[in-house]
Amino acid sequence: MQDITRADVQAAISGFLNDQFLKKAEPDIKRLEKAETEQNEAAIAAAQEALAQWRHKYSAPIWLDDAARRMAGQLKFGSHISKGIHPDAKGDNVNFSADTPLPEHLIGSQSAHALALDANGNAAALPLAAFFNTPVGAAQMVKLRQLITQNHPALQGCFADDAALSDEYQLLFQAALIGATDAPITHERNKQILWPRGEQAIVHDDYICLVPLYPSALTHAVYQQINQARYSEENKLARDNRFKKTAEHKPYVSITQLAITKLGGTKPQNVSQLTSAQGGRNYLLPNLPPKLQSSKAFKISAVAVTIFNKRLRYHSYRGWIEFDEVIKAKKSVMAVRDQRKLALQMILAEVFQIAERIQTQWPAGWSRDYQLSMAEKYWLDPDRADLEGEEAFKAACDAGDWAGEVIRSFALWLNQWLKETHTAIAEDFDEAEESEWRRAMASALRTSQRRFGRIYA
């Protein structure tokens, strides 16, 4: 912002006024071109007169004077607006700013890098909001409103040839942007929340009245980010190519469970400028209750010496169902063998998901009160190694020799259950089969080790 010069500001203002002129005068420009083609002198004169009026309206002295003296008094600016709660609400808007960061799991207006400026009031004065949002400088990273609110020295003499008049306009713009008031106004259409002050609030009738405002600047940022993710050219191309055999397949974004609420009905401009830019649409993300841990969560008995037991088989039943179907197949063709590998990977995936939950959600050191083998304690309770007084545990855990015992336990568990379930072919599950289960488990452990830098699920 320090690099912004007076010439940058003047160029930005000139560019804005020229854009406004071209936008408003476009019908008359086309009318003039047509009249010149037809050599219709009367039509040429009428179009030229109309264009002259547009040029006069959007000349800097005329437009800036009107903006400062009329428009600035007819708009309410803010990041949180009253009309977002109800279109007929006539309370004040608020420009929210907070330096206090939020916890990582929460987001708010202060989470956004740069919020847009919202405004409502007389729709005819809304071009002033666009004027304040005009980018300044070669990098286009600074908005004119930022310079105005910070009294940037580059603004000197930019709003009028007369220095005193330019300063007066700047003060009027600044007052409109800040919107500071000692007595903010609420309205009967705004909602109110009575927040109790202390445990005896009811007895003492001691409440503070909260008036929530709609965070239109934040919801606009969310709206833009969701639209960019869903409708960008790159995402649309990736989605269109997903069924084309010859096209390159890339991942694409698909946002589900998204609802839309419309503000302002058929006239969203009555709510605010940003709401109008969104066509009144505001995205609603899922507001779901937290998922509670069910009573069917995997548990380990305090006296169990291994987790490879009937209970683990119950919790990894999907893979077992697949495995049983493969075992029942009469022919050992390639397709059946591939299906058996897939079923084995499903069992391993479910076993490792359970292990990960134990490792990450159970408190470090939980295994002290259990009778599990030390090998499985090293595997399932790795954070215990970081506790005070657990130096021996850490040394054994880091050595990794325990992995072999975990691998053997898994292979024995799998083979034993196959023999008991398929008694007619129990002899088929011999050393060769058990070796295959060992190799699969060892590979899964190595993969997890590469992923986490230690043997971990």
Side-chain angles (χ1 to χ4, degrees):
M1 188 179 292
Q2 298 301 323
D3 298 333
I4 299 297
T5 65
R6 184 168 179 265
D8 292 331
V9 179
Q10 289 177 322
I13 295 174
S14 177
F16 168 80
L17 293 176
N18 189 54
D19 290 344
Q20 291 290 308
F21 165 74
L22 294 175
K23 181 179 176 182
K24 297 293 184 181
E26 183 179 3
D28 292 316
I29 293 173
K30 291 181 177 178
R31 196 174 298 121
L32 176 60
E33 292 174 349
K34 181 180 179 183
E36 289 176 340
T37 303
E38 297 173 349
Q39 296 184 345
N40 186 334
E41 296 298 331
I44 292 175
Q48 288 178 336
E49 183 180 353
L51 288 175
Q53 292 177 358
W54 285 121
R55 288 193 184 92
H56 176 73
K57 180 176 181 179
Y58 289 103
S59 62
I62 299 301
W63 192 89
L64 288 171
D65 182 77
D66 185 46
R69 299 189 187 283
R70 181 182 65 85
M71 296 184 192
Q74 295 180 344
L75 291 180
K76 292 180 179 179
F77 295 90
S79 61
H80 292 60
I81 61 171
S82 177
K83 285 183 175 293
I85 302 298
H86 193 288
D88 293 335
K90 297 177 181 177
D92 282 336
N93 300 333
V94 170
N95 262 317
F96 174 79
S97 62
D99 298 329
T100 306
L102 291 171
E104 290 185 357
H105 64 285
L106 297 177
I107 63 169
S109 296
Q110 61 266 56
S111 306
H113 174 66
L115 289 175
L117 179 69
D118 203 3
N120 51 31
N122 186 355
L126 283 177
L128 178 61
F131 175 67
F132 287 152
N133 279 323
T134 301
V136 181
Q140 303 282 290
M141 298 295 291
V142 178
K143 301 291 179 63
L144 182 59
R145 59 184 165 88
Q146 295 174 283
L147 303 178
I148 293 173
T149 54
Q150 296 183 18
N151 284 322
H152 197 281
L155 295 176
Q156 192 170 13
C158 287
F159 298 117
D161 293 335
D162 182 81
L165 186 59
S166 179
D167 291 344
E168 180 185 351
Y169 290 166
Q170 182 177 339
L171 289 175
L172 290 171
F173 290 148
Q174 190 177 71
L177 281 171
I178 296 174
T181 175
D182 295 332
I185 300 173
T186 184
H187 187 261
E188 61 184 5
R189 294 293 188 182
N190 285 117
K191 299 184 186 303
Q192 296 182 347
I193 299 173
L194 294 180
W195 190 265
R197 294 160 58 96
E199 297 180 355
Q200 300 298 317
I202 297 177
V203 176
H204 301 295
D205 196 19
D206 186 14
Y207 301 92
I208 185 171
C209 182
L210 304 178
V211 181
L213 300 178
Y214 191 74
S216 58
L218 175 63
T219 56
H220 183 67
V222 173
Y223 181 84
Q224 287 185 312
Q225 288 202 14
I226 290 177
N227 277 1
Q228 174 64 25
R230 298 176 76 185
Y231 305 122
S232 68
E233 291 300 324
E234 181 181 1
N235 198 59
K236 286 194 292 185
L237 180 62
R239 188 169 56 241
D240 292 342
N241 287 343
R242 66 190 189 280
F243 296 126
K244 297 178 181 176
K245 295 182 179 179
T246 57
E248 182 183 4
H249 291 187
K250 293 183 176 179
Y252 61 91
V253 176
S254 179
I255 303 176
T256 60
Q257 296 186 327
L258 198 63
I260 292 176
T261 183
K262 291 199 70 174
L263 300 181
T266 59
K267 296 180 178 178
Q269 68 273 16
N270 288 344
V271 176
S272 73
Q273 187 194 34
L274 294 181
T275 305
S276 179
Q278 298 168 197
R281 296 183 296 274
N282 285 257
Y283 289 128
L284 298 178
L285 301 175
N287 186 10
L288 304 175
K291 291 184 179 179
L292 303 178
Q293 293 288 339
S294 72
S295 58
K296 296 182 179 179
F298 184 78
K299 298 177 181 177
I300 300 176
S301 168
V303 297
V305 296
T306 179
I307 68 163
F308 296 109
N309 51 27
K310 186 177 181 180
R311 182 173 294 171
L312 182 59
R313 183 177 184 275
Y314 171 78
H315 283 270
S316 56
Y317 69 94
R318 296 183 184 87
W320 283 95
I321 292 174
E322 288 290 325
F323 220 108
D324 285 340
E325 292 298 323
V326 178
I327 298 299
K328 293 174 183 175
K330 295 180 179 179
K331 295 182 179 179
S332 180
V333 296
M334 180 176 292
V336 173
R337 291 195 293 272
D338 289 343
Q339 192 176 352
R340 187 172 79 167
K341 291 179 182 176
L342 178 62
L344 177 59
Q345 292 302 318
M346 289 179 65
I347 293 176
L348 282 168
E350 290 175 319
V351 169
F352 273 69
Q353 285 176 1
I354 291 171
E356 183 179 8
R357 283 197 291 272
I358 296 172
Q359 292 161 340
T360 58
Q361 297 179 11
W362 290 27
W366 62 266
S367 62
R368 289 169 174 166
D369 302 325
Y370 287 75
Q371 300 300 316
L372 286 179
S373 69
M374 288 306 297
E376 293 183 24
K377 289 184 178 180
Y378 296 140
W379 177 37
L380 299 173
D381 190 14
D383 291 339
R384 175 177 164 181
D386 300 328
L387 299 180
E388 187 176 354
E390 295 288 354
E391 290 76 12
F393 186 95
K394 176 178 174 53
C397 186
D398 291 344
D401 298 336
W402 50 268
E405 184 177 336
V406 173
I407 293 169
R408 285 191 296 276
S409 298
F410 170 79
L412 288 171
W413 169 70
L414 185 57
N415 232 22
Q416 183 63 31
W417 274 105
L418 288 173
K419 289 179 179 179
E420 294 182 9
T421 307
H422 304 277
T423 54
I425 56 173
E427 294 181 356
D428 291 347
F429 303 109
D430 53 15
E431 280 294 326
E433 303 293 323
E434 192 174 312
S435 296
E436 183 179 346
W437 316 148
R438 288 182 183 179
R439 288 194 295 273
M441 182 62 174
S443 176
L445 274 176
R446 285 196 298 272
T447 300
S448 64
Q449 188 177 30
R450 286 194 295 272
R451 181 182 173 194
F452 293 101
R454 63 197 300 185
I455 295 181
Y456 214 66

